[in-house]
PDB file of all heavy atoms in Angstrom:
ATOM      1  N   PRO A 324      21.666 -11.726  -2.203  1.00 93.00           N
ATOM      2  CA  PRO A 324      20.931 -10.996  -1.165  1.00 93.00           C
ATOM      3  C   PRO A 324      20.171  -9.805  -1.751  1.00 93.00           C
ATOM      4  O   PRO A 324      20.723  -9.015  -2.508  1.00 93.00           O
ATOM      5  CB  PRO A 324      22.033 -10.515  -0.209  1.00 93.00           C
ATOM      6  CG  PRO A 324      23.238 -11.346  -0.533  1.00 93.00           C
ATOM      7  CD  PRO A 324      23.125 -11.668  -1.990  1.00 93.00           C
ATOM      8  N   PRO A 344      18.206   3.380  -4.939  1.00 90.00           N
ATOM      9  CA  PRO A 344      18.414   3.054  -6.350  1.00 90.00           C
ATOM     10  C   PRO A 344      17.798   1.710  -6.712  1.00 90.00           C
ATOM     11  O   PRO A 344      17.447   0.905  -5.842  1.00 90.00           O
ATOM     12  CB  PRO A 344      19.944   3.013  -6.485  1.00 90.00           C
ATOM     13  CG  PRO A 344      20.442   2.730  -5.100  1.00 90.00           C
ATOM     14  CD  PRO A 344      19.473   3.383  -4.171  1.00 90.00           C
ATOM     15  N   GLY A 346      17.441  -2.017  -7.387  1.00 88.00           N
ATOM     16  CA  GLY A 346      18.196  -3.105  -6.807  1.00 88.00           C
ATOM     17  C   GLY A 346      18.535  -2.920  -5.340  1.00 88.00           C
ATOM     18  O   GLY A 346      19.219  -3.759  -4.745  1.00 88.00           O
ATOM     19  N   ASP A 371       0.866  -6.671  15.477  1.00 89.00           N
ATOM     20  CA  ASP A 371       1.233  -7.630  16.526  1.00 89.00           C
ATOM     21  C   ASP A 371       1.088  -9.091  16.107  1.00 89.00           C
ATOM     22  O   ASP A 371       1.176  -9.990  16.945  1.00 89.00           O
ATOM     23  CB  ASP A 371       0.421  -7.394  17.811  1.00 89.00           C
ATOM     24  CG  ASP A 371       0.743  -6.063  18.464  1.00 89.00           C
ATOM     25  OD1 ASP A 371       1.873  -5.588  18.288  1.00 89.00           O
ATOM     26  OD2 ASP A 371      -0.139  -5.501  19.137  1.00 89.00           O
ATOM     27  N   PRO A 419     -22.163  -6.377   3.406  1.00 95.00           N
ATOM     28  CA  PRO A 419     -23.489  -6.367   2.773  1.00 95.00           C
ATOM     29  C   PRO A 419     -23.566  -5.366   1.605  1.00 95.00           C
ATOM     30  O   PRO A 419     -22.878  -4.340   1.610  1.00 95.00           O
ATOM     31  CB  PRO A 419     -24.426  -5.940   3.910  1.00 95.00           C
ATOM     32  CG  PRO A 419     -23.698  -6.300   5.157  1.00 95.00           C
ATOM     33  CD  PRO A 419     -22.241  -6.120   4.858  1.00 95.00           C
ATOM     34  N   PHE A 500       0.336   4.999   5.193  1.00 96.00           N
ATOM     35  CA  PHE A 500       0.778   4.846   3.802  1.00 96.00           C
ATOM     36  C   PHE A 500       2.273   4.568   3.790  1.00 96.00           C
ATOM     37  O   PHE A 500       3.061   5.270   4.424  1.00 96.00           O
ATOM     38  CB  PHE A 500       0.511   6.118   2.997  1.00 96.00           C
ATOM     39  CG  PHE A 500      -0.903   6.286   2.535  1.00 96.00           C
ATOM     40  CD1 PHE A 500      -1.899   6.658   3.424  1.00 96.00           C
ATOM     41  CD2 PHE A 500      -1.251   6.088   1.203  1.00 96.00           C
ATOM     42  CE1 PHE A 500      -3.207   6.823   2.999  1.00 96.00           C
ATOM     43  CE2 PHE A 500      -2.559   6.250   0.770  1.00 96.00           C
ATOM     44  CZ  PHE A 500      -3.538   6.613   1.680  1.00 96.00           C
ATOM     45  N   ASP A 521      21.795  -1.408  -1.089  1.00 94.00           N
ATOM     46  CA  ASP A 521      22.251  -2.806  -1.041  1.00 94.00           C
ATOM     47  C   ASP A 521      21.513  -3.612   0.023  1.00 94.00           C
ATOM     48  O   ASP A 521      22.101  -4.434   0.743  1.00 94.00           O
ATOM     49  CB  ASP A 521      23.760  -2.876  -0.778  1.00 94.00           C
ATOM     50  CG  ASP A 521      24.579  -2.393  -1.962  1.00 94.00           C
ATOM     51  OD1 ASP A 521      24.052  -2.407  -3.096  1.00 94.00           O
ATOM     52  OD2 ASP A 521      25.743  -1.997  -1.759  1.00 94.00           O
TER      53      ASP A 521
END
Side-chain angles (χ1 to χ4, degrees):
D371 294 332
F500 281 75
D521 290 338

